[in-house]
Amino acid sequence: MHRVATLIVAICICTAATAQTPALHRTPGPPHHTHTPAGTPFLLIDYPNQMALQAPFSINDSGKIVGFYNLSDTAANGYGLAGKSFRDLSYPGSPLSVPYGINKHNQVVGFYCDNEACDTGHAYTWKNGAFTSFDYPGASNYTSANAINAAGDIVGSYQTSDYIFHGFVEHNGVFTSFDAPGAGYVTQPTGINRSGTIVGFIQDPNDFDHAFILQNGVFSNADYPGSVACELYGINDAGDVVGEFTNDLQTWHGFVRSGGNYTLIDAPFPGTTFTSPYSINNQRQIVGGYGSSVYEFGFLTTF
């Protein structure tokens, strides 16, 4: 699911609350054939006793994973997964809390809401068992931390009083805001690697999503060739990136871009209408979600 209208659960709620036009939503579509490289296993990641709405969002180099699962009242809790052991990673007292990124030092970043209406939300960091809340200076209602690299640099988004979501990077306590070329209401950075290369996507004025890479201060378009809409979600230190795209607005395919080459990654399960790789680590392990318009489950695979 998208990180504005679908991937970031909290931001999905935020855009609805502010009556802004969200990014493209998936609609039900026919099952599609898998393009996953032959011999690549898909391991399922299922939070205990949770059936239909869950996803792992990030995996670090030691294989530790963070993600979320929805509750019956549509609230969401965060989790951490090490091996086969799940632990709670929900911001204290929040009815909706989602961790989005984890780095090699097991530092976690994410987003939480103040109340069930989610009319305000904040970014947080988690380190050594302690949560710390923060907002982009001057943000209106929402700040979300989406990824953190090995150096502790954080990327995310924040909303201003005109309901526009801007991207930011935080380095050693200093915040820098940016808007990607062509952005309408949304610039959404979703990943950052050790060298500071940032990936993400925009929503253009026509409400279509387009992927970008920001490297050494220069933006480049990274849409999957021929796609109608595309989003990037994660990047490792070698510059491999993962994301999803659609060319018919119904079926969404996952992909890896490595060395300028694109490889399709689709979950090989009947009825699947989207595959969303959210994170890739330096061992090329990938976590993400797959499903349809009414459910999402997690997976782990290797590129």
Side-chain angles (χ1 to χ4, degrees), residues 138-153:
S140 178
N141 294 322
Y142 305 103
T143 301
S144 177
N146 300 338
I148 182 170
N149 68 7
D153 300 325

Side-chain angles (χ1 to χ4, degrees), residues 49-295:
N49 302 315
Q50 171 62 25
M51 295 298 294
L53 289 172
Q54 55 181 303
F57 281 142
S58 184
I59 182 170
N60 69 8
D61 289 342
S62 61
K64 292 183 172 64
I65 294 168
V66 295
F68 88 103
Y69 62 98
N70 269 109
L71 304 175
S72 58
D73 60 358
T74 72
N77 284 345
Y79 68 73
L81 174 60
K84 296 182 179 180
S85 299
F86 287 87
R87 64 170 297 171
D88 180 75
L89 256 181
S90 298
Y91 193 89
S94 172
L96 193 156
S97 175
V98 185
Y100 292 127
I102 182 171
N103 68 7
K104 65 179 294 183
H105 306 297
N106 300 321
Q107 296 171 295
V108 176
V109 295
F111 173 91
Y112 74 95
C113 293
D114 287 328
N115 51 49
E116 292 183 0
C118 201
D119 49 21
T120 56
H122 314 276
Y124 73 78
T125 61
W126 180 90
K127 182 180 180 180
N128 298 326
F131 287 89
T132 302
S133 175
F134 72 92
D135 293 307
Y136 185 91
S140 178
N141 294 322
Y142 305 103
T143 301
S144 177
N146 300 338
I148 182 170
N149 68 7
D153 300 325
I154 297 170
V155 292
S157 63
Y158 69 97
Q159 188 185 50
T160 46
S161 59
D162 55 5
Y163 304 117
I164 293 176
F165 283 94
H166 309 271
F168 74 82
V169 58
E170 184 270 325
H171 173 72
N172 291 334
V174 178
F175 289 86
T176 302
S177 176
F178 65 88
D179 294 304
Y185 282 108
V186 174
T187 294
Q188 192 66 243
T190 53
I192 182 171
N193 67 7
R194 177 181 285 275
S195 66
T197 300
I198 296 170
V199 299
F201 62 92
I202 65 165
Q203 182 186 92
D204 70 21
N206 295 315
D207 304 329
F208 286 85
D209 301 334
H210 300 284
F212 71 79
I213 297 175
L214 173 57
Q215 186 173 27
N216 298 323
V218 178
F219 285 93
S220 59
N221 178 277
D223 284 350
Y224 190 92
S227 63
V228 174
C230 182
E231 300 174 357
L232 292 185
Y233 295 139
I235 182 171
N236 64 15
D237 292 339
D240 303 321
V241 299
V242 292
E244 66 174 353
F245 76 95
T246 181
N247 51 25
D248 62 8
L249 304 184
Q250 294 187 3
T251 302
W252 292 76
H253 305 280
F255 68 89
V256 179
R257 173 174 143 159
S258 180
N261 298 313
Y262 292 81
T263 300
L264 289 170
I265 296 182
D266 284 350
F269 306 112
T272 297
T273 58
F274 74 87
T275 301
S276 302
Y278 294 141
S279 175
I280 182 169
N281 66 14
N282 289 326
Q283 281 70 52
R284 289 185 163 182
Q285 294 174 301
I286 297 168
V287 294
Y290 74 94
S292 73
S293 60
V294 295
Y295 67 87

